[in-house]
Amino acid sequence: MNTYSAVQSANAVCIYEALLEHTRLGIFGGEKATFMASFLLPIQVETFRGARCITEARELDDLYESLSSHLLGRGITDLARRVVAAEFRTPNLIHGTHETRMVQQNVLVSSYVTYTHLCREDGKWWVTDSSYAMGEEAEHAKLLDGRG
């Protein structure tokens, strides 16, 4: 990897990490506006079992409410996320993969991998597509793909 590629890769990882932190804070900090402002509609969300396209802010709001309620209701206290890879496909598009560990009082409850597309529009980075590799019967998966 040449120096330019290494800098680009590091920048892609930083952008990706910032959006992951915004969504985490949205859920665990009760900052719905921060969560909502991380996504550019329409957004495609899929799991092994199903997929849906969220086209309206009301649908994203419903997803936020159901995910927050589910995670907090299960006693999940944090989502520990780590970017595995992120790379620019174009100057305005990043493809990346991250691992999420669902944590309950410093104890790992479960983990899964997500493949995500980030898009820059009007100078701001947004999440536009996410594919979650988690057990198809996991309640979390059902909420994401619209079966829950």
Side-chain angles (χ1 to χ4, degrees), residues 62-79:
D62 290 347
L63 177 60
Y64 170 84
E65 292 296 337
S66 61
L67 279 176
S68 296
S69 177
H70 171 71
L71 293 172
L72 298 174
R74 282 189 58 201
I76 303 300
T77 54
D78 201 5
L79 297 177

Side-chain angles (χ1 to χ4, degrees), residues 35-52:
F35 179 89
M36 300 285 286
S38 301
F39 299 92
L40 179 65
L41 300 177
I43 177 172
Q44 183 72 25
V45 180
E46 65 182 5
T47 65
F48 289 139
R49 186 67 181 262
R52 71 171 163 169

